[in-house]
Amino acid sequence: MELHDVWFALIAVLWIGYFFLEGFDFGIGVLTKLLARDRTEKRVLINTIGPVWDGNEVWLLTAGGATFAAFPDWYATLFSGFYLPLLLILVCLIIRGVAFEYRHKRPEESWQANWEHAIFWTSLIPAFLWGVAFANIVRGVKIDQDKEYVGTFLDLLNVYSLLGGLVTLTLFTFHGAVFASLKTVGDIRDRARRTATTLGLVTAVLALVFLIWTQVSHGDGKSLIAMAVAVTALLGALGFNLAGREGWSFALSGITIAAAVAMLFLTLFPNVMPSSLDPAWSLTVTNASSSPYTLKIMTWCAAVATPLVLLYQGWTYWVFRKRIGTQHIVDAH
């Protein structure tokens, strides 16, 4: 296997890690409106991700940096062609981080309510747009012979990509609801489980349509296996959620995300951005990659740094593993 193939697989792993971790982050943000009944319960939900949300976003930075270094033409075409949606995602992530930190800085109800609105919308919008972006990458976009995107923003808003956005939005929110039931106690835990059941059923319908569409249009034997794993894991997550086994349900909802993202990358390979104008103009792991020497240096750096990052992040989750409830929320200052 060539190094550019290895780095394509590693970038897929980074996106899987990002969507697995940031997925329940986004879900919790959306659930602050759908699940929480008052400000105290909103604080409970936000506190479930308070110690880890910023660490989860490191996976996005790493995925973007790895793409820039390993496949510069892919990075350039992606970020120029998808400029508006990616800029909107970036703005949302910035505002979202500020909202988490500033929400509790002043006691006025209007101040806190405005930042809570910001948390909701800046969680919902990226959760939807990531699905739109990846669906378009799989579907193919207007790339010319100079490896430049020549389409418009409206070309990205097609039925397939909008369905992909709905799938990621509902799947992340379901993942967040399962995480909320895993991390809370009391009435909010019970309602999180009931909410997860409803969201899981909606997600199952949307995901099944999207994955079958993807498989029929772009898939092969390997992607079919990944699709089967995603569907089976999602049904298993629903079953364990109904049985009150939140740990197993969360693990399986994470496997659903991992298998679905793996399926998308399997349908892409060896392309990284297919051209809908002419298949010969598509960006591939070969014509979009950096030099072998660059990839070799990156491989050594990743081999040293990755285990350290994983150990640190795993330790963080272990330290903050306990459940919380409304009784753990002190009165506002």
Side-chain angles (χ1 to χ4, degrees), residues 45 53 70 73 82 91 126 128 134 141 157 170 199 204 222 234 239 258 266 268 271 289 299 317 327 331:
L45 290 176
W53 69 267
D73 288 334
F82 291 34
V91 171
F128 176 76
F134 271 85
V141 292
L157 302 179
T170 55
L199 288 169
K222 294 179 181 178
L234 180 56
L266 287 169
L268 272 178
N271 294 321
S289 69
T299 304
Y317 275 90
Q327 67 271 28
D331 292 336

Side-chain angles (χ1 to χ4, degrees), residues 117-320:
H117 289 315
I119 290 172
F120 171 77
W121 287 109
T122 57
S123 297
L124 184 149
I125 293 172
F128 176 76
L129 288 180
W130 279 126
V132 172
F134 271 85
N136 273 299
I137 293 174
V138 172
R139 177 176 178 267
V141 292
K142 294 180 178 180
I143 300 175
D144 64 12
Q145 65 270 29
D146 296 321
K147 302 179 182 178
E148 295 182 0
Y149 178 76
V150 293
T152 65
F153 174 72
L154 293 179
D155 291 328
L156 303 177
L157 302 179
N158 50 79
V159 175
Y160 177 74
S161 66
L162 293 175
L163 176 59
L166 290 175
V167 170
T168 52
L169 174 59
T170 55
L171 180 56
F172 290 168
T173 309
F174 168 69
H175 194 42
V178 175
F179 181 76
S181 67
L182 178 66
K183 289 288 293 179
T184 58
V185 294
D187 180 58
I188 192 171
R189 175 190 178 188
D190 297 331
R191 284 188 283 113
R193 284 174 51 197
R194 293 195 295 270
T195 302
T197 299
T198 303
L199 288 169
L201 292 173
V202 174
T203 302
V205 174
L206 293 175
L208 191 61
V209 174
F210 178 75
L211 294 178
I212 291 175
W213 190 345
T214 303
Q215 177 63 29
V216 171
S217 302
H218 311 284
D220 56 15
K222 294 179 181 178
S223 61
L224 180 61
I225 294 173
M227 184 186 80
V229 172
V231 173
T232 303
L234 180 56
L235 295 177
L238 271 169
F240 278 110
N241 177 71
L242 288 170
R245 303 292 297 276
E246 294 99 341
W248 283 102
S249 182
F250 179 72
L252 287 172
S253 66
I255 291 174
T256 302
I257 293 173
V261 176
M263 178 188 177
L264 297 182
F265 276 88
L266 287 169
T267 59
L268 272 178
F269 188 80
N271 294 321
V272 294
M273 282 193 76
S275 173
S276 60
L277 299 178
D278 188 336
W281 297 343
S282 297
L283 298 180
T284 68
V285 293
T286 304
N287 65 23
S289 69
S290 296
S291 66
Y293 180 75
T294 299
L295 296 178
K296 185 176 181 180
I297 296 297
M298 290 176 61
T299 304
W300 281 108
C301 292
V304 174
T306 303
L308 298 176
V309 173
L310 292 175
L311 285 172
Y312 174 76
Q313 193 161 24
W315 175 80
T316 302
Y317 275 90
W318 175 256
V319 170
F320 296 102

